[in-house]
Amino acid sequence: MEQKPVTAIIVGAGHRAFVYSELAKTNPELLKIVGVADPNPVRRQKAMEYFGFGEDMCFESAQELARHGKLADTVINGTMDELHLETTLPLLDAGYDMLLEKPFAVNEDEMWQIVECAKKNNSKVMICHVLRYTPFYYSIKERVASGEIGDIINIQTSEHVSYHHLSTSYIRGKWANSDKCHTSMLLAKCCHDLDIMMWLMSETKPSQISSFGSKYQFKEENAPEGAGTICMKDCPLVDTCDFSTKRLYIDHPDRWAFYVWDAL
């Protein structure tokens, strides 16, 4: 008997959810996108046209979608970190399984609420720790599990975030202000490292964890000579500086635009 594709509804029609949903285009026998929930009408329209479903499957919020009951097998939740709780709970209660972008919660209290809700509804919630599924890390996991490497007494990870990703995302981008996004760089970015460590050593628990970091580069005393205060307003280095907003956002809009706030 021919197996039908998994049906999914996008919640939060941004860059990350579209990346995960691309499987419906490359392998339609595995995944079919049948709806979208997003407060932005432009994003809803884009999803509807790209994946080919009707306006009756467009919703303004996760809550509105949940009120219609279960309309698909699963949800691809690509909302911002601080929205995960309010978008996840009603959809799990409506009977959906979910692919949930990392970090799946911004604090321990929200984490337990999601965990308990998933248990209550017997829901599958898969967190997008995508590094687990890369050939590189999977090969390491196999060797650790088989004992080929030997006893593991220490794991060190370094998050070498490139200069353009760091400045665009964590210095002045969406994750620069924890009051707005409710996550620190350690949680938003380094949750990959934490997950990899726990996954590699899944048979044990760490006895000690330490983390080091600092705002070394982006301080007033390190500004180039003659620099202004705002790139495109009063800085003469706007066309040459590695961190120029013009060079990163305007000259290369397709690469980094999705990391920039679309509204103030």
PDB file of all heavy atoms in Angstrom, residues 4-34:
ATOM      1  N   LYS A   4       1.168   7.574   2.396  1.00  0.00           N
ATOM      2  CA  LYS A   4       0.828   8.974   2.168  1.00  0.00           C
ATOM      3  C   LYS A   4       1.839   9.874   2.859  1.00  0.00           C
ATOM      4  O   LYS A   4       2.397   9.515   3.895  1.00  0.00           O
ATOM      5  CB  LYS A   4      -0.585   9.260   2.693  1.00  0.00           C
ATOM      6  CG  LYS A   4      -1.690   8.551   1.937  1.00  0.00           C
ATOM      7  CD  LYS A   4      -3.053   8.947   2.492  1.00  0.00           C
ATOM      8  CE  LYS A   4      -4.161   8.268   1.718  1.00  0.00           C
ATOM      9  NZ  LYS A   4      -5.515   8.642   2.241  1.00  0.00           N
ATOM     10  N   PRO A   5       2.080  11.068   2.309  1.00  0.00           N
ATOM     11  CA  PRO A   5       3.014  11.990   2.963  1.00  0.00           C
ATOM     12  C   PRO A   5       2.455  12.515   4.272  1.00  0.00           C
ATOM     13  O   PRO A   5       1.242  12.593   4.474  1.00  0.00           O
ATOM     14  CB  PRO A   5       3.159  13.121   1.938  1.00  0.00           C
ATOM     15  CG  PRO A   5       1.890  13.084   1.140  1.00  0.00           C
ATOM     16  CD  PRO A   5       1.525  11.621   1.066  1.00  0.00           C
ATOM     17  N   VAL A   6       3.335  12.875   5.174  1.00  0.00           N
ATOM     18  CA  VAL A   6       2.934  13.549   6.404  1.00  0.00           C
ATOM     19  C   VAL A   6       2.406  14.933   6.040  1.00  0.00           C
ATOM     20  O   VAL A   6       3.023  15.660   5.256  1.00  0.00           O
ATOM     21  CB  VAL A   6       4.133  13.681   7.371  1.00  0.00           C
ATOM     22  CG1 VAL A   6       3.769  14.551   8.566  1.00  0.00           C
ATOM     23  CG2 VAL A   6       4.615  12.309   7.811  1.00  0.00           C
ATOM     24  N   THR A   7       1.264  15.299   6.579  1.00  0.00           N
ATOM     25  CA  THR A   7       0.713  16.632   6.328  1.00  0.00           C
ATOM     26  C   THR A   7       1.100  17.559   7.481  1.00  0.00           C
ATOM     27  O   THR A   7       1.091  17.154   8.649  1.00  0.00           O
ATOM     28  CB  THR A   7      -0.813  16.593   6.183  1.00  0.00           C
ATOM     29  OG1 THR A   7      -1.397  16.011   7.354  1.00  0.00           O
ATOM     30  CG2 THR A   7      -1.208  15.788   4.948  1.00  0.00           C
ATOM     31  N   ALA A   8       1.448  18.795   7.138  1.00  0.00           N
ATOM     32  CA  ALA A   8       1.932  19.732   8.155  1.00  0.00           C
ATOM     33  C   ALA A   8       1.392  21.125   7.906  1.00  0.00           C
ATOM     34  O   ALA A   8       1.155  21.530   6.756  1.00  0.00           O
ATOM     35  CB  ALA A   8       3.455  19.757   8.170  1.00  0.00           C
ATOM     36  N   ILE A   9       1.247  21.878   8.989  1.00  0.00           N
ATOM     37  CA  ILE A   9       0.851  23.286   8.942  1.00  0.00           C
ATOM     38  C   ILE A   9       1.985  24.114   9.522  1.00  0.00           C
ATOM     39  O   ILE A   9       2.517  23.798  10.599  1.00  0.00           O
ATOM     40  CB  ILE A   9      -0.449  23.523   9.725  1.00  0.00           C
ATOM     41  CG1 ILE A   9      -1.600  22.753   9.067  1.00  0.00           C
ATOM     42  CG2 ILE A   9      -0.778  25.020   9.788  1.00  0.00           C
ATOM     43  CD1 ILE A   9      -2.896  22.803   9.858  1.00  0.00           C
ATOM     44  N   ILE A  10       2.387  25.144   8.808  1.00  0.00           N
ATOM     45  CA  ILE A  10       3.437  26.043   9.276  1.00  0.00           C
ATOM     46  C   ILE A  10       2.849  27.018  10.290  1.00  0.00           C
ATOM     47  O   ILE A  10       1.823  27.650  10.032  1.00  0.00           O
ATOM     48  CB  ILE A  10       4.043  26.832   8.099  1.00  0.00           C
ATOM     49  CG1 ILE A  10       4.789  25.890   7.146  1.00  0.00           C
ATOM     50  CG2 ILE A  10       4.968  27.933   8.596  1.00  0.00           C
ATOM     51  CD1 ILE A  10       5.255  26.581   5.867  1.00  0.00           C
ATOM     52  N   VAL A  11       3.495  27.148  11.424  1.00  0.00           N
ATOM     53  CA  VAL A  11       3.129  28.164  12.414  1.00  0.00           C
ATOM     54  C   VAL A  11       4.342  29.071  12.577  1.00  0.00           C
ATOM     55  O   VAL A  11       5.387  28.645  13.058  1.00  0.00           O
ATOM     56  CB  VAL A  11       2.737  27.530  13.753  1.00  0.00           C
ATOM     57  CG1 VAL A  11       2.492  28.612  14.804  1.00  0.00           C
ATOM     58  CG2 VAL A  11       1.492  26.665  13.585  1.00  0.00           C
ATOM     59  N   GLY A  12       4.189  30.324  12.155  1.00  0.00           N
ATOM     60  CA  GLY A  12       5.331  31.231  12.114  1.00  0.00           C
ATOM     61  C   GLY A  12       6.044  31.085  10.790  1.00  0.00           C
ATOM     62  O   GLY A  12       7.043  30.370  10.676  1.00  0.00           O
ATOM     63  N   ALA A  13       5.536  31.756   9.759  1.00  0.00           N
ATOM     64  CA  ALA A  13       6.018  31.546   8.390  1.00  0.00           C
ATOM     65  C   ALA A  13       7.239  32.404   8.096  1.00  0.00           C
ATOM     66  O   ALA A  13       7.237  33.243   7.184  1.00  0.00           O
ATOM     67  CB  ALA A  13       4.897  31.842   7.395  1.00  0.00           C
ATOM     68  N   GLY A  14       8.295  32.201   8.869  1.00  0.00           N
ATOM     69  CA  GLY A  14       9.543  32.911   8.653  1.00  0.00           C
ATOM     70  C   GLY A  14      10.572  32.044   7.960  1.00  0.00           C
ATOM     71  O   GLY A  14      10.263  30.956   7.441  1.00  0.00           O
ATOM     72  N   HIS A  15      11.813  32.504   7.979  1.00  0.00           N
ATOM     73  CA  HIS A  15      12.890  31.825   7.268  1.00  0.00           C
ATOM     74  C   HIS A  15      13.071  30.381   7.724  1.00  0.00           C
ATOM     75  O   HIS A  15      13.161  29.460   6.912  1.00  0.00           O
ATOM     76  CB  HIS A  15      14.192  32.608   7.466  1.00  0.00           C
ATOM     77  CG  HIS A  15      15.409  31.890   6.989  1.00  0.00           C
ATOM     78  ND1 HIS A  15      16.232  31.185   7.832  1.00  0.00           N
ATOM     79  CD2 HIS A  15      15.939  31.755   5.746  1.00  0.00           C
ATOM     80  CE1 HIS A  15      17.224  30.649   7.142  1.00  0.00           C
ATOM     81  NE2 HIS A  15      17.071  30.980   5.881  1.00  0.00           N
ATOM     82  N   ARG A  16      13.134  30.159   9.034  1.00  0.00           N
ATOM     83  CA  ARG A  16      13.447  28.819   9.535  1.00  0.00           C
ATOM     84  C   ARG A  16      12.358  27.811   9.188  1.00  0.00           C
ATOM     85  O   ARG A  16      12.652  26.690   8.756  1.00  0.00           O
ATOM     86  CB  ARG A  16      13.679  28.882  11.041  1.00  0.00           C
ATOM     87  CG  ARG A  16      14.353  27.658  11.629  1.00  0.00           C
ATOM     88  CD  ARG A  16      15.688  27.357  10.972  1.00  0.00           C
ATOM     89  NE  ARG A  16      16.628  28.446  11.014  1.00  0.00           N
ATOM     90  CZ  ARG A  16      17.513  28.643  11.972  1.00  0.00           C
ATOM     91  NH1 ARG A  16      17.553  27.839  13.013  1.00  0.00           N
ATOM     92  NH2 ARG A  16      18.366  29.640  11.915  1.00  0.00           N
ATOM     93  N   ALA A  17      11.094  28.184   9.355  1.00  0.00           N
ATOM     94  CA  ALA A  17      10.012  27.263   9.042  1.00  0.00           C
ATOM     95  C   ALA A  17       9.981  26.933   7.555  1.00  0.00           C
ATOM     96  O   ALA A  17       9.693  25.798   7.166  1.00  0.00           O
ATOM     97  CB  ALA A  17       8.668  27.853   9.481  1.00  0.00           C
ATOM     98  N   PHE A  18      10.288  27.910   6.708  1.00  0.00           N
ATOM     99  CA  PHE A  18      10.323  27.654   5.271  1.00  0.00           C
ATOM    100  C   PHE A  18      11.468  26.713   4.910  1.00  0.00           C
ATOM    101  O   PHE A  18      11.336  25.887   4.000  1.00  0.00           O
ATOM    102  CB  PHE A  18      10.440  28.963   4.495  1.00  0.00           C
ATOM    103  CG  PHE A  18       9.120  29.521   4.046  1.00  0.00           C
ATOM    104  CD1 PHE A  18       8.292  30.194   4.931  1.00  0.00           C
ATOM    105  CD2 PHE A  18       8.682  29.353   2.745  1.00  0.00           C
ATOM    106  CE1 PHE A  18       7.064  30.701   4.522  1.00  0.00           C
ATOM    107  CE2 PHE A  18       7.459  29.849   2.314  1.00  0.00           C
ATOM    108  CZ  PHE A  18       6.649  30.525   3.215  1.00  0.00           C
ATOM    109  N   VAL A  19      12.593  26.826   5.603  1.00  0.00           N
ATOM    110  CA  VAL A  19      13.715  25.912   5.343  1.00  0.00           C
ATOM    111  C   VAL A  19      13.296  24.475   5.644  1.00  0.00           C
ATOM    112  O   VAL A  19      13.519  23.558   4.842  1.00  0.00           O
ATOM    113  CB  VAL A  19      14.942  26.306   6.186  1.00  0.00           C
ATOM    114  CG1 VAL A  19      16.001  25.207   6.144  1.00  0.00           C
ATOM    115  CG2 VAL A  19      15.541  27.608   5.672  1.00  0.00           C
ATOM    116  N   TYR A  20      12.680  24.271   6.801  1.00  0.00           N
ATOM    117  CA  TYR A  20      12.258  22.915   7.154  1.00  0.00           C
ATOM    118  C   TYR A  20      11.155  22.409   6.214  1.00  0.00           C
ATOM    119  O   TYR A  20      11.087  21.220   5.913  1.00  0.00           O
ATOM    120  CB  TYR A  20      11.762  22.879   8.601  1.00  0.00           C
ATOM    121  CG  TYR A  20      12.815  23.242   9.614  1.00  0.00           C
ATOM    122  CD1 TYR A  20      12.505  24.011  10.731  1.00  0.00           C
ATOM    123  CD2 TYR A  20      14.139  22.821   9.460  1.00  0.00           C
ATOM    124  CE1 TYR A  20      13.473  24.344  11.660  1.00  0.00           C
ATOM    125  CE2 TYR A  20      15.111  23.161  10.388  1.00  0.00           C
ATOM    126  CZ  TYR A  20      14.775  23.918  11.477  1.00  0.00           C
ATOM    127  OH  TYR A  20      15.730  24.258  12.404  1.00  0.00           O
ATOM    128  N   SER A  21      10.299  23.309   5.775  1.00  0.00           N
ATOM    129  CA  SER A  21       9.176  22.917   4.917  1.00  0.00           C
ATOM    130  C   SER A  21       9.592  22.635   3.483  1.00  0.00           C
ATOM    131  O   SER A  21       8.794  22.096   2.705  1.00  0.00           O
ATOM    132  CB  SER A  21       8.108  24.017   4.934  1.00  0.00           C
ATOM    133  OG  SER A  21       7.632  24.250   6.240  1.00  0.00           O
ATOM    134  N   GLU A  22      10.808  22.995   3.130  1.00  0.00           N
ATOM    135  CA  GLU A  22      11.269  22.785   1.758  1.00  0.00           C
ATOM    136  C   GLU A  22      11.255  21.307   1.370  1.00  0.00           C
ATOM    137  O   GLU A  22      11.213  20.964   0.188  1.00  0.00           O
ATOM    138  CB  GLU A  22      12.682  23.360   1.584  1.00  0.00           C
ATOM    139  CG  GLU A  22      13.189  23.408   0.159  1.00  0.00           C
ATOM    140  CD  GLU A  22      12.376  24.332  -0.756  1.00  0.00           C
ATOM    141  OE1 GLU A  22      11.671  25.222  -0.230  1.00  0.00           O
ATOM    142  OE2 GLU A  22      12.464  24.159  -1.996  1.00  0.00           O
ATOM    143  N   LEU A  23      11.266  20.419   2.350  1.00  0.00           N
ATOM    144  CA  LEU A  23      11.167  18.989   2.059  1.00  0.00           C
ATOM    145  C   LEU A  23       9.912  18.675   1.254  1.00  0.00           C
ATOM    146  O   LEU A  23       9.906  17.742   0.443  1.00  0.00           O
ATOM    147  CB  LEU A  23      11.160  18.189   3.368  1.00  0.00           C
ATOM    148  CG  LEU A  23      11.094  16.664   3.239  1.00  0.00           C
ATOM    149  CD1 LEU A  23      12.373  16.122   2.617  1.00  0.00           C
ATOM    150  CD2 LEU A  23      10.835  16.023   4.594  1.00  0.00           C
ATOM    151  N   ALA A  24       8.857  19.454   1.465  1.00  0.00           N
ATOM    152  CA  ALA A  24       7.622  19.234   0.716  1.00  0.00           C
ATOM    153  C   ALA A  24       7.817  19.498  -0.772  1.00  0.00           C
ATOM    154  O   ALA A  24       7.067  18.970  -1.605  1.00  0.00           O
ATOM    155  CB  ALA A  24       6.503  20.131   1.257  1.00  0.00           C
ATOM    156  N   LYS A  25       8.802  20.325  -1.106  1.00  0.00           N
ATOM    157  CA  LYS A  25       9.103  20.607  -2.510  1.00  0.00           C
ATOM    158  C   LYS A  25      10.052  19.566  -3.098  1.00  0.00           C
ATOM    159  O   LYS A  25       9.880  19.123  -4.231  1.00  0.00           O
ATOM    160  CB  LYS A  25       9.726  22.007  -2.633  1.00  0.00           C
ATOM    161  CG  LYS A  25       8.753  23.154  -2.386  1.00  0.00           C
ATOM    162  CD  LYS A  25       7.776  23.284  -3.542  1.00  0.00           C
ATOM    163  CE  LYS A  25       6.970  24.563  -3.457  1.00  0.00           C
ATOM    164  NZ  LYS A  25       6.082  24.763  -4.625  1.00  0.00           N
ATOM    165  N   THR A  26      11.067  19.207  -2.334  1.00  0.00           N
ATOM    166  CA  THR A  26      12.070  18.265  -2.852  1.00  0.00           C
ATOM    167  C   THR A  26      11.611  16.821  -2.777  1.00  0.00           C
ATOM    168  O   THR A  26      11.984  15.999  -3.611  1.00  0.00           O
ATOM    169  CB  THR A  26      13.387  18.417  -2.079  1.00  0.00           C
ATOM    170  OG1 THR A  26      13.161  18.139  -0.681  1.00  0.00           O
ATOM    171  CG2 THR A  26      13.940  19.836  -2.220  1.00  0.00           C
ATOM    172  N   ASN A  27      10.803  16.498  -1.768  1.00  0.00           N
ATOM    173  CA  ASN A  27      10.313  15.126  -1.584  1.00  0.00           C
ATOM    174  C   ASN A  27       8.835  15.141  -1.218  1.00  0.00           C
ATOM    175  O   ASN A  27       8.457  14.855  -0.076  1.00  0.00           O
ATOM    176  CB  ASN A  27      11.109  14.414  -0.486  1.00  0.00           C
ATOM    177  CG  ASN A  27      12.562  14.222  -0.847  1.00  0.00           C
ATOM    178  OD1 ASN A  27      13.392  15.102  -0.644  1.00  0.00           O
ATOM    179  ND2 ASN A  27      12.876  13.059  -1.393  1.00  0.00           N
ATOM    180  N   PRO A  28       7.974  15.470  -2.184  1.00  0.00           N
ATOM    181  CA  PRO A  28       6.536  15.588  -1.883  1.00  0.00           C
ATOM    182  C   PRO A  28       5.899  14.277  -1.434  1.00  0.00           C
ATOM    183  O   PRO A  28       4.806  14.303  -0.866  1.00  0.00           O
ATOM    184  CB  PRO A  28       5.955  16.069  -3.216  1.00  0.00           C
ATOM    185  CG  PRO A  28       6.957  15.656  -4.256  1.00  0.00           C
ATOM    186  CD  PRO A  28       8.286  15.762  -3.590  1.00  0.00           C
ATOM    187  N   GLU A  29       6.569  13.170  -1.675  1.00  0.00           N
ATOM    188  CA  GLU A  29       6.033  11.893  -1.212  1.00  0.00           C
ATOM    189  C   GLU A  29       6.195  11.731   0.312  1.00  0.00           C
ATOM    190  O   GLU A  29       5.561  10.861   0.913  1.00  0.00           O
ATOM    191  CB  GLU A  29       6.724  10.731  -1.931  1.00  0.00           C
ATOM    192  CG  GLU A  29       8.137  10.408  -1.486  1.00  0.00           C
ATOM    193  CD  GLU A  29       9.203  11.355  -2.058  1.00  0.00           C
ATOM    194  OE1 GLU A  29       8.828  12.325  -2.750  1.00  0.00           O
ATOM    195  OE2 GLU A  29      10.394  11.103  -1.818  1.00  0.00           O
ATOM    196  N   LEU A  30       7.044  12.590   0.916  1.00  0.00           N
ATOM    197  CA  LEU A  30       7.287  12.512   2.357  1.00  0.00           C
ATOM    198  C   LEU A  30       6.526  13.567   3.151  1.00  0.00           C
ATOM    199  O   LEU A  30       6.117  13.307   4.278  1.00  0.00           O
ATOM    200  CB  LEU A  30       8.791  12.662   2.644  1.00  0.00           C
ATOM    201  CG  LEU A  30       9.720  11.618   2.029  1.00  0.00           C
ATOM    202  CD1 LEU A  30      11.165  11.950   2.369  1.00  0.00           C
ATOM    203  CD2 LEU A  30       9.360  10.222   2.507  1.00  0.00           C
ATOM    204  N   LEU A  31       6.375  14.749   2.586  1.00  0.00           N
ATOM    205  CA  LEU A  31       5.784  15.860   3.340  1.00  0.00           C
ATOM    206  C   LEU A  31       4.902  16.711   2.432  1.00  0.00           C
ATOM    207  O   LEU A  31       5.266  17.000   1.284  1.00  0.00           O
ATOM    208  CB  LEU A  31       6.890  16.742   3.941  1.00  0.00           C
ATOM    209  CG  LEU A  31       6.436  17.974   4.727  1.00  0.00           C
ATOM    210  CD1 LEU A  31       5.713  17.563   6.007  1.00  0.00           C
ATOM    211  CD2 LEU A  31       7.623  18.876   5.053  1.00  0.00           C
ATOM    212  N   LYS A  32       3.766  17.133   2.973  1.00  0.00           N
ATOM    213  CA  LYS A  32       2.860  18.040   2.269  1.00  0.00           C
ATOM    214  C   LYS A  32       2.449  19.159   3.217  1.00  0.00           C
ATOM    215  O   LYS A  32       1.933  18.902   4.306  1.00  0.00           O
ATOM    216  CB  LYS A  32       1.618  17.298   1.776  1.00  0.00           C
ATOM    217  CG  LYS A  32       0.662  18.182   0.978  1.00  0.00           C
ATOM    218  CD  LYS A  32      -0.529  17.378   0.452  1.00  0.00           C
ATOM    219  CE  LYS A  32      -1.458  18.256  -0.375  1.00  0.00           C
ATOM    220  NZ  LYS A  32      -2.626  17.495  -0.892  1.00  0.00           N
ATOM    221  N   ILE A  33       2.713  20.414   2.820  1.00  0.00           N
ATOM    222  CA  ILE A  33       2.309  21.562   3.616  1.00  0.00           C
ATOM    223  C   ILE A  33       0.883  21.936   3.219  1.00  0.00           C
ATOM    224  O   ILE A  33       0.606  22.222   2.058  1.00  0.00           O
ATOM    225  CB  ILE A  33       3.250  22.762   3.398  1.00  0.00           C
ATOM    226  CG1 ILE A  33       4.699  22.367   3.705  1.00  0.00           C
ATOM    227  CG2 ILE A  33       2.813  23.944   4.266  1.00  0.00           C
ATOM    228  CD1 ILE A  33       4.932  21.908   5.125  1.00  0.00           C
ATOM    229  N   VAL A  34      -0.019  21.949   4.204  1.00  0.00           N
ATOM    230  CA  VAL A  34      -1.439  22.137   3.890  1.00  0.00           C
ATOM    231  C   VAL A  34      -2.032  23.387   4.518  1.00  0.00           C
ATOM    232  O   VAL A  34      -3.224  23.660   4.336  1.00  0.00           O
ATOM    233  CB  VAL A  34      -2.254  20.898   4.326  1.00  0.00           C
ATOM    234  CG1 VAL A  34      -1.800  19.660   3.577  1.00  0.00           C
ATOM    235  CG2 VAL A  34      -2.144  20.685   5.845  1.00  0.00           C
TER     236      VAL A  34
END
